[in-house]
Amino acid sequence: MTDHSKFLTAGKRVITEEADALIHLADGLGDSFGQAVELLLNAKGRVIISGMGKSGHIARKIAATLASTGTPAHFVHPAEASHGDLGMMTRGDVVLVLSNSGETPELADLVAYTRRFSIPMIGVASRPESTLLQRADVAIVLPNLGEACGTGVVPTTSTTMTLALGDALAVALMEYRDFTPENFREFHPGGKLGARLSKVADLMHTGDAIPLVESHTPMTNTLLAISQKGFGVVGVTDETGRLIGIITDGDLRRHMDGLLDLTARDVMTPDPATMTPHALAEEAVALMNSKTITCLFAVDPAGSGNVAGVLHIHDCLRAGIV
């Protein structure tokens, strides 16, 4: 059997070295970081991010993070830039260029283009004297630490620091703009994140699909409404349309004796649990679970009590909210 102790030792060493590098990065952040954030905030166009090799992979991730948090951004490959993609950059944009050495030859045309057309450029590298940082409008210097690979040639520590720097820029921009979870959902309508941030209004049934009867409705008609709408419940309203009660299977069983001689008001459970359409669907699921119910009415948040929709637990399950 293979002795895993050497693997474990290597893994811990790499993670420890990269964690130490992040502390050095945080301690070394200075005014250039603030200048970079200000440039990004004032961009009239988009943020163009570029890098070659492993720096390019990090650049793609930073571009995706910025774009999903309210800062229009995209990645431009430096080699493709030299063959026509330079036209993707225009005045009003801000360019963020990543290169650990600051001397990556494939970046030369892109850097020269920003200088020619006065497009603001933020350079990120580990050598202050490098061509990239010397030509940048804002130069962010990464701590010049050895890579965690042991040989010093495989980008590990440097890419971890660059990735963390990109996250720091994105979060600083978010906090300045008061970027909210609701804003985040606008860029993440799909997947688990989108589901968690869905609102009741996104999933609820509205209009004629809502099972409602007025309080004076005979139970014969009320039973038809429960059957036709298919939710297993019906909401009971007063003459103004305000929700005053709900009838469930449990209510029907409790009033079996002489049920058809009664009205909806006689059978209903008053003051049912409700949500506003603007509430998170995740909150609605939590409320349904705590009340051991499968349906929830959404009422007008203005205080009228009028019903805006109905949400079933199955709607939330289909959306991926569990």
Side-chain angles (χ1 to χ4, degrees), residues 109-196:
D109 289 342
L110 184 146
V111 171
Y113 187 87
T114 67
R115 305 303 80 191
R116 178 183 176 187
F117 292 100
S118 301
I119 299 173
M121 183 180 70
I122 303 165
V124 177
S126 62
R127 295 169 52 204
E129 73 280 3
S130 63
T131 302
L132 173 61
L133 295 193
Q134 288 296 313
R135 303 190 71 182
D137 297 291
V138 175
I140 298 179
V141 182
L142 298 174
N144 194 3
L145 305 173
E147 302 289 4
C149 62
T151 62
V153 296
V154 179
T156 47
T157 302
S158 59
T159 50
T160 297
M161 288 191 292
T162 308
L163 181 62
L165 179 66
D167 289 342
L169 289 169
V171 172
L173 291 165
M174 284 176 59
E175 291 183 356
Y176 183 86
R177 291 173 172 146
D178 292 327
F179 196 82
T180 66
E182 287 73 21
N183 299 138
F184 190 73
R185 183 184 174 275
E186 292 175 5
F187 301 106
H188 295 77
K192 188 66 176 177
L193 282 173
R196 286 186 58 195

Side-chain angles (χ1 to χ4, degrees), residues 217-242:
T217 303
M219 282 306 299
T220 50
N221 293 340
T222 301
L223 289 171
L224 284 175
I226 295 175
S227 176
Q228 290 171 352
K229 301 298 183 179
F231 289 93
V233 300
V234 67
V236 182
T237 63
D238 63 15
E239 61 277 3
T240 68
R242 183 173 63 89

Side-chain angles (χ1 to χ4, degrees), residues 36-317:
V37 173
E38 188 173 3
L39 262 185
L40 297 172
L41 280 171
N42 293 332
K44 297 288 192 291
R46 298 152 300 173
V47 178
I48 310 299
I49 309 176
S50 190
M52 193 68 189
K54 303 299 186 295
S55 292
H57 294 303
I58 300 301
R60 289 181 188 273
K61 193 275 179 186
I62 295 174
T65 300
L66 288 172
S68 68
T69 54
T71 301
H74 67 252
F75 170 77
V76 170
H77 194 288
E80 297 294 338
S82 299
H83 294 274
D85 281 2
L86 286 173
M88 298 173 71
M89 296 185 293
T90 63
R91 288 187 175 90
D93 293 342
V94 172
V95 178
L96 174 62
V97 182
L98 314 177
S99 170
N100 187 43
S101 68
E103 301 294 348
T104 307
E106 291 86 352
L107 293 170
D109 289 342
L110 184 146
V111 171
Y113 187 87
T114 67
R115 305 303 80 191
R116 178 183 176 187
F117 292 100
S118 301
I119 299 173
M121 183 180 70
I122 303 165
V124 177
S126 62
R127 295 169 52 204
E129 73 280 3
S130 63
T131 302
L132 173 61
L133 295 193
Q134 288 296 313
R135 303 190 71 182
D137 297 291
V138 175
I140 298 179
V141 182
L142 298 174
N144 194 3
L145 305 173
E147 302 289 4
C149 62
T151 62
V153 296
V154 179
T156 47
T157 302
S158 59
T159 50
T160 297
M161 288 191 292
T162 308
L163 181 62
L165 179 66
D167 289 342
L169 289 169
V171 172
L173 291 165
M174 284 176 59
E175 291 183 356
Y176 183 86
R177 291 173 172 146
D178 292 327
F179 196 82
T180 66
E182 287 73 21
N183 299 138
F184 190 73
R185 183 184 174 275
E186 292 175 5
F187 301 106
H188 295 77
K192 188 66 176 177
L193 282 173
R196 286 186 58 195
L197 295 170
S198 293
K199 295 179 181 178
V200 171
D202 298 323
L203 304 178
M204 70 184 188
H205 303 265
T206 60
D208 292 339
I210 307 173
L212 291 175
V213 296
E214 292 186 357
S215 59
H216 56 76
T217 303
M219 282 306 299
T220 50
N221 293 340
T222 301
L223 289 171
L224 284 175
I226 295 175
S227 176
Q228 290 171 352
K229 301 298 183 179
F231 289 93
V233 300
V234 67
V236 182
T237 63
D238 63 15
E239 61 277 3
T240 68
R242 183 173 63 89
L243 184 72
I244 59 172
I246 188 173
I247 298 176
T248 67
D249 288 340
D251 296 312
L252 296 178
R253 287 193 296 271
R254 284 188 290 273
H255 294 84
M256 285 297 294
D257 189 18
L259 177 66
L260 299 183
D261 296 325
L262 302 175
T263 65
R265 181 184 288 275
D266 299 325
V267 178
M268 73 179 191
T269 295
D271 301 320
T274 61
M275 275 277 176
T276 70
H278 301 307
L280 289 176
E282 199 171 54
E283 295 177 66
V285 171
L287 180 58
M288 284 189 270
N289 287 336
S290 68
K291 299 286 187 181
T292 319
I293 57 178
T294 60
C295 235
L296 199 60
F297 285 92
V299 298
D300 181 5
S304 68
N306 289 350
V307 178
V310 62
L311 181 68
H312 196 281
I313 190 68
H314 290 165
D315 301 316
C316 300
L317 292 173

